Amino acid sequence: MDFTLSEEHKMIQKTARDFAEAELRHDAIERDEKAIFPEKAVTQLGEMGFLGMITPEKYGGAGFDMLSYVLALEEIARVDAATCVIMSVTNSLCQCVITTWGNEEQKQKYLVPLARGEKLGAYALSEPQSGSDASNMRAFAEKKGDHYILNGTKNWVTNGKSADTYVVFALTEKGVGHKGVSAFIVERDFDGFTTGKKEDKLGIRSSDTCELIFDDCKIPAENLLWEEGRGFKIAMGTLDGGRIGIAAQALGIGQAALDKSLKYSKEREQFNRPISDFQAIQFKLAEMATELDAARLLTCRAARMKDRGEPVTKEAAMAKYYAGDTAMRAANEAVQIHGGYGYITEYEVERLMRDAKITQIYEGTNEIQRVVIARQLLRE
């Protein structure tokens, strides 16, 4: 499989890299410390087309392929993983759902402003009691005339405080498991819809995460996606693409860890020579670089396959779990290479460690990814 980048791919990669360095680097530490949402940067990303990268041009998007998207996400995450996940959720989860399963009216009303960066999207699947067991939800939407009345809560919603448009999953029939799950498009100002407190998180702190509360929330019937009972299929199908995005985010974090470790090891001297001269450090750097390249190849393979319209459930799971684990190992080694300085905020590698951890958890824990891979293998 050829992963040679075209000139367009290289241009997208460079544009994302330049933007991240110019607009995100200078205040990344402060935003992390104070949990400040990068509002200006998100607006700029929208104006540049990065918030609708894989949405078709006919609906206001840039119409880029999945590989372009992966390249851009990695470059943003290399500087600020929190901004990367804001970009990832509105692209991979919210817009991809509407692109794939929305009708023409829904696409014109909701997808177009999302793809243009005029609106921000979110995706609400998990609940307090249902994380990995996503079908074990309690939120219930009852059909009443030309509306659904939704009651329940959703947890861990990225962009929850800042989004305008939410893809929300809820039961429309009880007692039938995942066959009773449906998907809806919910607007921020719908009656009965409020957001809970913003979570105080270990990492990706400048992206907001919160609970969504639905108390007799009134949703127009035309905001049902596809048809009743199809929500679980929508959720699982969407997560394949979302996991490729998380793999790209993990790659960016891991690459930043390697970049900083290389620079520091050549500058830091002990015993009258740079620590990069010591084999113990060299082995760490070699392992980080090798694992990152392997993770990158897995991620690019999944992206290429998705671009060709091939099933990617197994490959996306492989990329996500391996890249997430690789990012965590790379960040851990970066802190170790920096020694005491690695524990200090201004050297940034402690933030990489905190940011890396979530890539092993959200959009399916890495334990769940192994289950997905095994099931796919046993079916083949």
Side-chain angles (χ1 to χ4, degrees):
M1 189 174 287
D2 183 13
F3 296 123
T4 303
L5 299 183
S6 67
E7 289 306 311
E8 182 180 58
H9 287 135
K10 292 176 183 177
M11 179 197 71
I12 292 167
Q13 186 180 50
K14 183 179 186 302
T15 301
R17 181 181 301 160
D18 290 347
F19 172 82
E21 291 294 340
E23 303 298 335
L24 298 174
R25 176 78 68 189
H26 67 96
D27 64 346
I29 292 175
E30 180 185 9
R31 285 188 289 101
D32 172 75
E33 180 183 350
K34 298 179 181 178
I36 300 170
F37 185 82
E39 187 172 349
K40 178 184 175 184
V42 170
T43 298
Q44 291 172 311
L45 284 169
E47 292 169 349
M48 296 168 68
F50 281 107
L51 296 189
M53 284 194 74
I54 48 180
T55 298
E57 291 181 81
K58 66 181 289 189
Y59 296 115
F64 290 129
D65 61 15
M66 197 70 179
L67 183 59
S68 299
Y69 177 55
V70 161
L71 294 171
L73 285 176
E74 180 180 347
E75 294 301 330
I76 299 298
R78 202 167 174 175
V79 175
D80 182 19
T83 301
C84 175
V85 75
I86 294 166
M87 173 179 161
S88 175
V89 166
T90 196
N91 270 288
S92 298
L93 297 183
C94 184
Q95 288 179 58
C96 280
V97 168
I98 302 172
T99 299
T100 307
W101 288 283
N103 58 39
E104 189 62 26
E105 183 180 346
Q106 290 167 340
K107 290 175 182 177
Q108 292 296 335
K109 184 176 181 179
Y110 294 109
L111 187 57
V112 171
L114 284 165
R116 289 175 177 168
E118 298 164 0
K119 303 283 187 180
L120 190 65
Y123 179 93
L125 178 63
S126 295
E127 296 184 6
Q129 78 294 334
S130 65
S132 295
D133 183 9
S135 64
N136 183 32
M137 62 180 65
R138 295 175 184 166
F140 182 69
E142 183 180 5
K143 182 78 178 292
K144 290 192 175 181
D146 60 356
H147 284 77
Y148 286 88
I149 304 300
L150 173 59
N151 284 282
T153 61
K154 292 291 174 180
N155 273 37
W156 323 121
V157 181
T158 301
N159 298 344
K161 286 285 186 184
S162 304
D164 307 282
T165 305
Y166 303 75
V167 171
V168 178
F169 296 86
L171 296 174
T172 47
E173 183 179 356
K174 297 179 180 179
V176 293
H178 68 85
K179 294 180 180 179
V181 178
S182 300
F184 300 89
I185 302 172
V186 177
E187 296 179 28
R188 162 174 289 281
D189 60 357
F190 278 179
D191 289 342
F193 172 41
T194 56
T195 59
K197 71 178 181 66
K198 185 168 76 170
E199 302 292 351
D200 189 11
K201 299 175 297 185
L202 173 73
I204 56 166
R205 289 175 51 79
S206 65
S207 110
D208 61 70
T209 303
C210 73
E211 180 183 54
L212 306 184
I213 302 163
F214 302 95
D215 184 8
D216 287 340
C217 178
K218 195 174 181 181
I219 304 172
E222 61 263 28
N223 280 34
L224 173 71
L225 282 156
W226 196 1
E227 58 188 38
E228 284 192 10
R230 299 287 191 165
F232 196 73
K233 185 172 182 178
I234 292 173
M236 295 302 102
T238 305
L239 287 175
D240 284 346
R243 286 165 180 166
I244 298 172
I246 298 305
Q249 178 188 353
L251 281 172
I253 296 168
Q255 188 62 52
L258 176 58
D259 294 342
K260 290 181 180 299
S261 297
L262 285 166
K263 183 175 185 294
Y264 181 82
S265 68
K266 289 188 280 189
E267 295 172 349
R268 174 67 168 170
E269 291 192 359
Q270 292 288 279
F271 307 102
N272 299 315
R273 55 181 181 165
I275 63 172
S276 59
D277 281 357
F278 295 101
Q279 191 177 71
I281 301 299
Q282 292 174 358
F283 279 13
K284 290 180 186 296
L285 296 172
E287 288 167 2
M288 292 162 72
T290 302
E291 290 185 352
L292 281 165
D293 266 10
R296 187 170 288 110
L297 288 169
L298 283 170
T299 305
C300 289
R301 179 184 69 167
R304 286 290 202 196
M305 290 176 66
K306 188 164 179 61
D307 284 334
R308 292 197 298 267
E310 299 173 19
V312 293
T313 297
K314 180 182 71 178
E315 290 76 13
M318 285 179 169
K320 193 270 184 189
Y321 109 70
Y322 191 76
D325 285 358
T326 295
M328 195 65 212
R329 284 192 292 268
N332 182 60
E333 292 289 33
V335 171
Q336 192 70 17
I337 289 168
H338 282 71
Y341 292 105
Y343 220 65
I344 304 302
T345 301
E346 69 177 282
Y347 282 78
E348 296 190 272
V349 288
E350 61 84 28
R351 173 164 59 89
L352 296 177
M353 180 186 279
R354 290 187 287 106
D355 287 349
K357 186 61 194 173
I358 193 61
T359 67
Q360 296 178 305
I361 298 172
Y362 58 13
E363 295 197 34
T365 66
N366 282 6
E367 290 77 14
I368 289 294
Q369 303 313 310
R370 289 165 171 83
V371 172
V372 170
I373 293 163
R375 285 177 178 170
Q376 292 297 312
L377 287 171
L378 292 167
R379 288 173 184 165
E380 291 175 356

